[in-house]
Amino acid sequence: MVKCRSRFFSKQLLKHNLPFVLLVLLVLSRVSGFCEGDIKACAERPLEFNNLLIIQKIDPFLERIRNKAIQRARKYFPSPASELLLGMTIGVDHFKKLPQFKEMLLKTGTIHVVVVSGYNISLVYSLMAALLGSFYNRTKLLIGFSVALFYALLSGFDPPVIRSWIMGSIAYLGKYYGRSFPTLRVLIVSGLLMILWQPLFSFSLSFQLSFCATLSLILFSDTISKLSITSKIPEFFREDFTATVAAQILVWPLISIYFGRVSIISILVNTLVLWTVPVATVFGGAFLLLFFVGDFLSRILAFFVYIPLGIFANAIELFSKVSFAQVEFQFSLVGFAVYYLVVLFMKVRPSLFASLDVGEIMEKEGPIVADVS
Amino acid sequence: MKTQIIFYTIALFIKILLFYNQSRGNYLEIAFLDVGQGDSILITTPSKKRVLIDGGAGFTADRILDSYFPLNNCHIDVLALTHPHADHIEGLNRVLDHCKVDYIVFNPVKYDSYLYDNWLSKVSELGDSGKSKVISRIDSETLKIDGITFHCVWPTAEALERRFSNINNASLTVFLDYGDFEAFLSGDAETGVLEIIKERLNEGAFWFIDYPLEVYKASHHGAKNGLVKGLWTKLNPDVTVISVGEDNKFGHPSSDVMDFFATQKCTDLSGLEKLRSLFVTKKGLVKRTDVDGTVKIRYNLSQYGHN
């Protein structure tokens, strides 16, 4: 029995886990070398990419595009619709100008929708696939990668976007070679590669939230969708409910540990309002791109984008007035570790390593990929 | 997709209902918007003309204005800047970005700041293109809109000739007059200016004021240097509003000012005779935007109330 098990583990280790273990060891040595043993000081260092040549070269150009978009959004939309639109489409965060509304977003657990996430990158890939036909051609594949990279840079090159760009690139590269990779592996490898490149990622809250939300979605979406309570949710809201609950399983302890408070109406609010986000992102993005359209037509188009943004903003204001919207709760580090271990232990099964389609998950993760910047 | 269209249509319908609701009721409303630390006052006339005085810091004033214009149809008839400090001007810059503004009123005092430069360039662009009419000097003048008179009592022409060492004292200060209803709005004017106003008041220069006053905006967010007790006592307002941000770094409102207001409560009940609204409670009421949120005072020639 022991021999049999030992052979099984050796096989698994060699076939699946050895490269992982080596990569993890490499990452650990990279982080420890980078931080020179002082993890605390390392965690306080800002994560910046200004030294990247590509950013230095194209940043003035990107800045011009961002400013044009900001001007256009502010001309045709009131606050907070303009800030929501800019956050959802190009990752511009001007919520410091709306401190009360930002507080409402935090209270209702919806701050994650106003940043560019993996959903946006998957939209860009889908758009490119629709325009180019398919990615089964090296030139088209390279064009797809480049456009998605350009968008990732335009939207601030934040950790969720970088992670999503790497995951998307691996998925489409896989498709090009006729291979399908297990999503979990792609996520973990993407995360490890990012930390290998820039160890400070491991201390970035936005990276941690994005990574945990995606991991949580991969692990728990199916389980949540099979719960009896899920089948009672109206079909229109069901997908958002499943995604919100699944993502929250690994995300809420992080929020608790960083902010000392947890939104308890987050699942309800997200379930009710998330449907407006893709509508606002797609129509809003198209509106910003149509800068050459005259003033009169722009006002008409803006009105249709304003409606979903307005619904979102009004719903957030309404729900934030609920007195029990959030509770003060901070995980201790030990409690945090125990929670993660228990949850992950309950989930660990061989089926975990079953092959999944990355593109499918990219679409699923949509607006759930969390970020608090 | 079908359900999304249904939700979309319902939302549109609600917006139209809100729009319809906004255009009802013949009353004057003065709303002290809860913009955090800063000032922003929206005055709505009985025929729904809008006068916006200051915009607070950040974009919160614009966010609150959105509830007055639920169809993304922002239209401000008169937009006034009292003085160019960030907690008064920044929100106005944002409003100018997308609202249709008929008149822009301000005194072009000398002051160096990025936000003020931004304001001047936007105002000049709007003025040059003919989209807005710019009144770029206002001293001791009277503006009338929809039966409501704004008597500008500060800065005077002589004061404007000088460069203000303290830009708070350049604050546009007005008495609003509508029938028996009067309000005193003084931006961030400090004691020096308020003393001058008190003296001129005692000299009878402001003949248009019927005492006691209905609404008094505490100058400079309730700071100690924003209160002249003699002026407040003389005006004897029914409601005093302090526009102030929660836990602000300046310590506004001052505890001395709050203590003074507390001791003045219910000292004179004669004014209550005309308070026939359900909302008004007692004389000497003090409202704070950090505690009460946006403070709205409504008056329809025979009664007024606040919430």
Side-chain angles (χ1 to χ4, degrees), chain A residues 73-80 82-83 97-101 104 236-237 275 279 299 303-308 310-311 314 317, chain B residues 1 3-4 7-8 11-12 15 18 34-36 57-60 62-64 66 69-72 90 94 97-99 115 131:
Chain A
R74 286 190 184 164
K75 184 176 177 187
Y76 291 104
F77 299 99
S79 292
S82 54
E83 286 68 33
K97 299 286 181 196
L98 290 164
Q100 292 163 337
F101 189 72
M104 291 175 196
F236 180 67
F237 299 109
W275 67 273
V279 183
R299 283 194 191 280
F303 183 74
F304 290 99
V305 183
Y306 170 75
I307 296 293
I311 298 170
N314 292 348
E317 288 194 30
Chain B
M1 188 63 190
T3 325
Q4 260 171 351
F7 273 90
Y8 200 96
L12 186 62
K15 289 266 179 193
L18 288 172
D34 176 19
V35 291
F59 302 160
T60 304
D62 195 47
R63 178 176 72 78
I64 300 172
D66 189 36
F69 304 100
L71 293 178
N72 196 11
E90 192 175 18
R94 175 70 186 97
D97 281 336
H98 77 102
C99 284
L115 289 171
K131 287 178 182 165

Side-chain angles (χ1 to χ4, degrees), chain B residues 94-304:
Chain B
R94 175 70 186 97
V95 170
L96 284 179
D97 281 336
H98 77 102
C99 284
K100 184 178 182 301
V101 178
D102 292 345
Y103 287 90
I104 299 171
V105 180
F106 76 113
N107 278 315
V109 290
K110 285 179 182 151
Y111 185 67
D112 294 327
S113 88
Y114 164 75
L115 289 171
Y116 189 45
D117 290 346
N118 199 345
W119 159 271
L120 290 173
S121 71
K122 278 180 184 175
V123 167
S124 124
E125 197 184 313
L126 287 166
D128 293 347
S129 65
K131 287 178 182 165
S132 305
K133 289 187 179 101
V134 181
I135 301 173
S136 62
R137 186 182 169 97
I138 179 154
D139 57 77
S140 313
E141 286 176 49
T142 299
L143 296 177
K144 275 192 179 176
I145 177 166
D146 203 15
I148 295 162
T149 313
F150 292 86
H151 299 278
C152 305
V153 295
W154 185 266
T156 56
E158 303 84 67
L160 274 176
E161 295 305 317
R162 303 191 300 265
R163 185 182 171 115
F164 290 92
S165 57
N166 177 357
I167 208 71
N168 279 342
N169 285 331
S171 289
L172 184 63
T173 301
V174 296
F175 278 103
L176 179 155
D177 187 13
Y178 180 54
D180 287 341
F181 181 93
E182 272 102 17
F184 180 64
L185 311 169
S186 53
D188 280 358
E190 294 186 10
T191 40
V193 170
L194 297 173
E195 285 287 358
I196 294 171
I197 291 171
K198 187 186 86 179
E199 278 166 29
R200 292 182 62 205
L201 192 71
N202 288 334
E203 288 163 7
F206 307 140
W207 51 268
F208 39 82
I209 302 295
D210 295 324
Y211 303 110
L213 207 72
E214 276 66 36
V215 177
Y216 177 98
K217 188 198 88 75
S219 190
H220 200 198
H221 322 289
K224 201 175 171 182
N225 61 15
L227 177 71
V228 167
K229 292 173 184 171
L231 177 65
W232 190 90
T233 316
K234 176 93 180 170
L235 294 173
N236 195 16
D238 290 333
V239 181
T240 300
V241 182
I242 306 175
S243 196
V244 68
E246 202 177 346
D247 298 326
N248 64 80
K249 61 181 177 185
F250 308 101
H252 296 157
S254 142
S255 53
D256 289 354
V257 172
M258 293 313 290
D259 288 347
F260 170 74
F261 288 147
T263 56
Q264 298 299 311
K265 266 190 179 181
C266 307
T267 49
D268 176 7
L269 294 174
S270 60
L272 277 175
E273 288 169 17
K274 62 182 177 182
L275 308 183
R276 290 188 290 271
S277 162
L278 287 171
F279 301 106
V280 170
T281 51
K282 57 190 173 187
K283 187 93 178 140
L285 195 71
V286 176
K287 288 277 191 180
R288 297 168 52 157
T289 54
D290 59 338
V291 177
D292 304 301
T294 292
V295 176
K296 290 179 183 174
I297 292 156
R298 289 176 177 177
Y299 178 78
N300 69 356
L301 285 175
S302 60
Q303 61 179 23
Y304 74 97

